[in-house]
Every structure is written in structure tokens, then in C-alpha cells.
Amino acid sequence: SLSSSSSCDGSSGSSFTAPSTSGRAASLRSHANSTGSTRSVHNPEQQQHFPPESFDAVLLDAPCSALGLRPRLSHGEWSLGRLRALGRYQRAFLHAAMRLLKPGGTLVYCTCTISPAENEANVRWALDTWGASCGLQLVPALPLLGGPGLVGADPDTGEAWLTPAE
């Protein structure tokens, strides 16, 4: 998880889910209703605009290559260049998430891929972009599932990943 401690560009505790398809929206709405949740689920066709700092927490399940779910590389769908471009595309979602996050709020950034360009590189980028100005920092995710993230940098591009302390 990433946590922000001060105002960042961008105000009441609410929850909003914007799934990518109407079918997914219906499934999420049904699940929310069955658990008694008061969370709001909207269809993707409904255009919603929220003022800056609208949410206490943002779960950003970014569109990704899904390399953690199936071996897509063997299907010829992905190239290294395309994977790197997708990582950069996800940064637009991070910008939107940070704009909507209240000071002191929590941003959970997740993907279902093993691509460092979509994971460690984007976390590093977010920390570099908003760490000093907004107090964005890594916080422990408990229980910890899996191992630590990759440290160092992409050997081809030099794009930074995490540091050993992170």
C-alpha cells in the first residue's frame, strides 16, 4: 500500500467503484449487496467526475498485461516494448488516483502481472513523484503474501525499481 500524509492537488469518506464493464459492475454490486456494504458501484458508461481529494482510500487495480494469470508472452500478444508502454500508461491512472485521494489517505496499487515495468517501476515513480510533495510512502501490507519487490533498475532502460530499504 501507499499512503499519503498531506494535500496533493487536488475532501468526505465515501467509496466508489468504477469497473471496466457493465457485467463486472453487476457482479460487484451483487457482492456488495450480499455483504451489506454501503459502497457505491457505478456502471462504466456512467460518466462520473469527482472533485479532488474526494476519497479516503483508492484501490487502483490498473489495467495490466496479466502476465501473472497466464503465459501471454507465448501467445505473441506482448513485446518488451509494449509491456514498458503499458507501465507508462498506468501512470495516468496513478495521477488520477492521487488527485482523488484525501491527504492522509491510502492508495492501494495492484496488478495481476509479474512485469517490473508495471509494478516496481510504477511504485518507484509514484514515490519519486509524490513522496516529498505529498508525503506518499510505502506502508507494510499485512499479512505479507509473497516476497519483496525487485530492487535496482531495468538493465536495458535504467528505469529505477525499489531500493533495498523499501
Side-chain angles (χ1 to χ4, degrees):
S1 295
L2 297 165
S3 179
S4 174
S5 62
S6 64
S7 180
C8 289
D9 177 25
S11 302
S12 52
S14 57
S15 176
F16 173 79
T17 302
S20 58
T21 66
S22 293
R24 181 74 177 128
S27 174
L28 286 169
R29 191 174 298 105
S30 173
H31 178 70
N33 290 340
S34 72
T35 63
S37 173
T38 60
R39 303 200 190 294
S40 176
V41 179
H42 296 268
N43 287 326
E45 294 83 12
Q46 294 174 325
Q47 188 66 284
Q48 296 286 335
H49 297 283
F50 296 97
E53 300 177 1
S54 292
F55 299 100
D56 297 311
V58 174
L59 169 60
L60 173 53
D61 186 0
C64 72
S65 61
L67 293 178
L69 297 179
R70 55 197 164 275
R72 285 188 163 189
L73 286 177
S74 66
H75 298 287
E77 294 178 35
W78 297 100
S79 66
L80 189 54
R82 190 166 174 210
L83 288 173
R84 288 186 177 130
L86 186 55
R88 290 186 301 271
Y89 172 67
Q90 292 162 340
R91 292 176 184 181
F93 289 87
L94 282 163
H95 264 288
M98 285 300 295
R99 182 184 147 296
L100 294 171
L101 189 63
K102 287 182 179 180
T106 299
L107 167 64
V108 176
Y109 174 77
C110 61
T111 68
C112 56
T113 187
I114 57 174
S115 167
E118 299 175 72
N119 292 320
E120 289 87 351
N122 277 343
V123 171
R124 166 83 282 130
W125 178 83
L127 291 169
D128 290 346
T129 302
W130 294 291
S133 63
C134 300
L136 188 69
Q137 60 187 343
L138 284 174
V139 295
L142 298 173
L144 179 62
L145 302 175
L150 296 176
V151 298
D154 184 304
D156 294 326
T157 66
E159 184 172 52
W161 296 336
L162 301 175
T163 65
E166 296 169 327

